């Protein structure tokens, strides 16, 4: 009998009305957790009060355009939805993340109306060109936090980004580690052009001790440094001690990757990865170790038990 009472039409109706009559600020907090895709495709059509909340520019100061579903089953035009989100922000956009889509035209659309942007994150955005990225970043005077992970941009682009945004405080430049490859060009570009960095994540980078030394010297205000899966580094000596002394939050090459959101697969050069995603910053055929008989070994940093800090 109690079950019949709880499942009565009146009871269900009261529950529905109570849900829809939540205070506007509480409803806003709930809707924000859904993300732009769910808001634009579902939540805003629930009722007139929800639509009103979903049209508030304050709901669109942060736009995370990651899509959690299956890409091959997706019926949405994410680029068009991203434009709608930017429009709804009415110039108040301060953070945007684009993943697996995006073009130069979209970046231009964002920067034309969002000069308050402080954080820009681009992940797997292979349709964005070097020129398009530079043009966009140069229009964002307040930009402090930049991520350009799993892209195929030139090292000269990284240099230009640092020069046009010298106050950049945070950079994420992540990728999958290429076995048999060493390259310090990206690290040197960071060291020479981003002196005000406080936070740097270069997961899976192919830099060597030379590149890391340059970063430590060129970025004196660095507080956090993520070097996970940077397996060309040998931090068993003075360089490791220097990192420990200088960096408050240090993640080492062999540290756990449980909290890392992307693939941690190590790529053997010769796989098809570079055909899909291009080379990392500064990497070209001339940087590859091509002697198949001289199989690349990690640079002595596989055992971290003898750190001196």
């Amino acid at each position: 009998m109690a079950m019949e009472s709880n499942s009565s039409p009146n009871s269900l109706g009261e529950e529905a009305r109570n849900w829809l009559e939540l205070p506007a600020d509480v409803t806003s907090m709930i809707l924000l957790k859904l993300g732009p895709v769910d808001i634009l495709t579902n939540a805003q059509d629930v009722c007139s009060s929800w639509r009103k909340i979903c049209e508030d520019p304050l709901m669109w100061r942060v736009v995370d355009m990651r899509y959690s579903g299956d890409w091959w089953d997706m019926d949405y035009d994410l680029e068009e939805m991203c434009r709608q989100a930017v429009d709804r922000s009415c110039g108040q956009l301060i953070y945007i993340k684009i993943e697996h889509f995006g073009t130069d035209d979209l970046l231009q659309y964002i920067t034309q109306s969002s000069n308050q942007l402080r954080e820009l994150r681009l992940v797997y955005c292979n349709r964005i060109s070097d020129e398009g990225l530079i043009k966009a970043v140069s229009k964002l005077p307040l930009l402090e936090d930049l991520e350009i992970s799993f892209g195929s941009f030139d090292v000269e682009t990284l240099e230009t980004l640092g020069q046009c945004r010298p106050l950049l405080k945070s950079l994420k430049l992540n990728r999958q580690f290429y076995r048999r490859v060493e390259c310090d060009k990206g690290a040197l570009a960071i060291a020479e052009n981003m002196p005000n960095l406080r936070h740097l994540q270069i997961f899976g980078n192919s830099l060597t001790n030379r590149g890391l030394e340059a970063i430590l010297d060129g970025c004196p205000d660095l507080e956090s440094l993520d070097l996970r899966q940077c397996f060309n580094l040998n931090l068993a000596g003075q360089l490791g001690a220097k990192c420990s002394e200088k960096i408050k939050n240090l993640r080492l090459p062999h540290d756990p990757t449980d909290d890392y959101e992307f693939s941690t697969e190590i790529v053997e050069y010769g796989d098809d990865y570079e055909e899909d995603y291009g080379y990392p910053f500064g990497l070209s055929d001339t940087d590859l170790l091509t002697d198949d008989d001289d199989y690349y070994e990690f640079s002595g940093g596989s055992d971290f038990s003898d750190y001196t800090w």
Side-chain angles (χ1 to χ4, degrees):
M1 295 298 292
M3 183 178 296
E4 291 180 3
S5 175
N6 290 338
S7 60
S8 65
N10 287 339
S11 175
L12 291 175
E14 289 175 2
E15 290 179 4
R17 284 195 298 273
N18 290 338
W19 176 258
L20 295 176
E21 292 173 4
L22 287 172
D25 57 340
V26 176
T27 303
S28 297
M29 292 178 60
I30 295 172
L31 293 174
L32 282 171
K33 295 181 181 296
L34 295 178
V37 174
D38 285 332
I39 290 176
L40 292 171
T41 57
N42 296 304
Q44 67 175 6
D45 297 325
V46 169
C47 63
S48 59
S49 62
W50 280 27
R51 174 171 284 276
K52 183 177 180 180
I53 292 173
C54 292
E55 291 176 347
D56 185 347
L58 293 178
M59 288 284 294
W60 303 94
R61 299 188 74 204
V62 174
V63 174
D64 189 338
M65 290 299 299
R66 285 177 293 181
Y67 180 67
S68 58
D70 294 328
W71 290 93
W72 50 88
D73 291 333
M74 184 178 61
D75 295 326
Y76 309 130
D77 184 342
L78 288 180
E79 186 162 338
E80 177 56 32
M81 295 178 74
C82 187
R83 292 172 186 261
Q84 293 179 34
V86 170
D87 290 343
R88 291 195 180 190
S89 73
C90 297
Q92 299 188 47
L93 185 67
I94 60 172
Y95 171 104
I96 190 165
K97 181 167 185 175
I98 299 172
E99 189 172 313
H100 283 291
F101 74 99
T103 61
D104 290 353
D105 288 342
L106 177 61
L107 269 189
Q108 183 177 0
Y109 190 86
I110 293 169
T111 56
Q112 281 177 340
S113 60
S114 307
N115 60 5
Q116 301 298 308
L117 199 66
R118 287 174 167 78
E119 298 183 41
L120 173 64
R121 301 190 180 279
L122 305 173
V123 181
Y124 290 114
C125 292
N126 299 296
R127 295 170 61 195
I128 294 177
S129 69
D130 293 82
E131 294 78 10
L133 178 61
I134 292 172
K135 185 176 181 179
V137 171
S138 66
K139 294 181 179 179
L140 301 173
L142 301 182
L143 188 68
E144 297 180 348
D145 191 325
L146 177 64
E147 177 173 3
I148 35 179
S149 295
F150 302 98
S152 54
F153 302 103
D154 294 334
V155 69
E156 289 80 8
T157 297
L158 189 58
E159 296 171 351
T160 303
L161 294 177
Q163 292 164 7
C164 72
R165 292 278 76 90
L167 298 181
L168 199 66
K169 291 184 172 63
S170 178
L171 176 68
K172 289 185 177 181
L173 193 67
N174 301 323
R175 55 182 299 272
Q176 288 174 276
F177 181 74
Y178 272 74
R179 203 189 303 265
R180 301 172 61 87
V181 173
E182 293 182 354
C183 183
D184 283 316
K185 292 181 180 179
L188 296 177
I190 292 170
E192 295 169 3
N193 298 281
M194 300 181 181
N196 293 296
L197 279 184
R198 295 172 182 258
H199 311 284
L200 177 62
Q201 184 179 68
I202 47 176
F203 192 106
N205 199 279
S206 298
L207 83 166
T208 68
N209 283 22
R210 172 173 173 258
L212 177 57
E213 187 86 48
I215 289 175
L216 295 176
D217 293 339
C219 305
D221 297 325
L222 207 57
E223 299 174 2
S224 68
L225 178 60
D226 191 342
L227 300 171
R228 284 177 295 175
Q229 292 203 354
C230 296
F231 292 129
N232 291 336
L233 295 174
N234 182 350
L235 300 180
Q238 292 184 350
L239 183 57
K242 182 176 181 180
C243 286
S244 180
E245 180 180 351
K246 177 181 175 61
I247 308 299
K248 296 179 181 177
N249 184 10
L250 178 64
R251 308 294 294 272
L252 300 171
H254 288 272
D255 278 356
T257 59
D258 298 348
D259 61 342
Y260 186 67
E261 62 181 310
F262 303 112
S263 172
T264 59
E265 177 187 3
I266 296 175
V267 181
E268 181 74 39
Y269 180 69
D271 292 350
D272 293 332
Y273 180 84
E274 69 277 2
E275 296 179 6
D276 296 327
Y277 301 114
Y279 295 127
F281 276 109
L283 181 62
S284 65
D285 289 330
T286 59
D287 298 302
L288 303 178
L289 304 179
T290 56
D291 187 353
D292 292 336
D293 295 329
D294 184 19
Y295 190 81
Y296 181 82
E297 295 182 358
F298 294 160
S299 302
S302 58
D303 183 1
F304 289 84
S305 60
D306 53 347
Y307 277 5
T308 57
W309 53 80

